[in-house]
């Protein structure tokens, strides 16, 4: 439906973030070759499913903070119900990323696949 879409990185993971030496600076996102139009939740979900998952309670708290942050910056109403649905859609897409790498690219990272599946099982109950 092209609702709640924006320009996204498309491959956001900790390997594509440069962290500053000083806390007063912001991290930089690198490796933009997968940039595309996607749901505003896709990059955040990919980052947390594959790299930064801290259990459903802490991850849900971070997602809530993200929702409030973006909701304060957009002009149209973006309800929490829509946000949850977008997160679920992003999780479903994100779960297939390591499987795609495994099958098509020959990257045999089974740990990546299992981390994604376990995060998916925890976060699918995200309300």
């Amino acid at each position: 439906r092209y609702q709640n879409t924006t320009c996204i990185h498309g491959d956001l993971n900790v390997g594509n973030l440069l962290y500053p030496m000083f806390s007063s600076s912001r991290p930089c996102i690198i490796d933009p070759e997968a940039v595309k139009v996607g749901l505003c939740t896709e990059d955040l979900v990919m980052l947390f499913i594959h790299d930064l998952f801290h259990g459903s309670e802490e991850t849900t708290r971070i997602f809530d903070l993200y929702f409030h942050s973006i909701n304060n910056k957009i002009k149209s109403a973006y309800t929490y119900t829509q946000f949850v649905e977008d997160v679920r859609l992003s999780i479903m897409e994100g779960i297939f990323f390591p499987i795609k790498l495994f099958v098509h690219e020959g990257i045999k990272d089974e740990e990546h696949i299992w981390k994604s599946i376990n995060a998916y099982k925890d976060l699918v109950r995200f309300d």
Side-chain angles (χ1 to χ4, degrees), residues 6 8 10 18 22 24 38 46 57 69 92 107 114 123 125:
T6 189
I8 64 170
L18 295 178
F22 306 103
S24 61
M46 180 175 268
E57 187 175 320
S69 173
M92 287 188 292
I107 299 171
W114 284 111
L123 289 173
R125 287 177 250 132

Side-chain angles (χ1 to χ4, degrees), residues 28-41:
C28 294
I29 298 173
I30 61 169
D31 196 14
E33 72 234 10
V35 168
K36 64 180 182 175
V37 172
L39 288 172
C40 63
T41 53

Side-chain angles (χ1 to χ4, degrees), residues 4-5 10-11 18-19 43 49 52-53 71 81 100 102 108:
N4 316 317
T5 58
D11 185 22
L18 295 178
Y19 299 93
D43 281 339
I49 282 181
L52 300 177
F53 184 69
N71 206 35
T81 303
K100 180 191 92 152
F102 188 85
K108 308 291 187 207

Side-chain angles (χ1 to χ4, degrees), residues 55-101:
S56 59
E57 187 175 320
E58 182 65 16
T59 302
T60 299
R61 188 180 74 75
I62 293 165
F63 285 8
D64 286 346
L65 290 170
Y66 177 73
F67 167 74
H68 292 295
S69 173
I70 61 172
N71 206 35
N72 288 334
K73 294 179 180 160
I74 58 176
K75 295 181 190 221
S76 63
Y78 186 39
T79 67
Y80 191 74
T81 303
Q82 288 175 312
F83 174 74
V84 169
E85 182 63 23
D86 290 346
V87 167
R88 286 186 174 136
L89 290 169
S90 297
I91 290 170
M92 287 188 292
E93 182 175 334
I95 194 73
F96 292 104
F97 181 74
I99 295 170
K100 180 191 92 152
L101 291 177

Side-chain angles (χ1 to χ4, degrees), residues 104-123:
H104 295 293
E105 307 294 328
I107 299 171
K108 308 291 187 207
D109 188 353
E110 292 182 36
E111 180 184 358
H112 198 185
I113 293 170
W114 284 111
K115 279 174 41 179
S116 298
I117 290 170
N118 289 330
Y120 171 79
K121 288 192 306 190
D122 253 4
L123 289 173

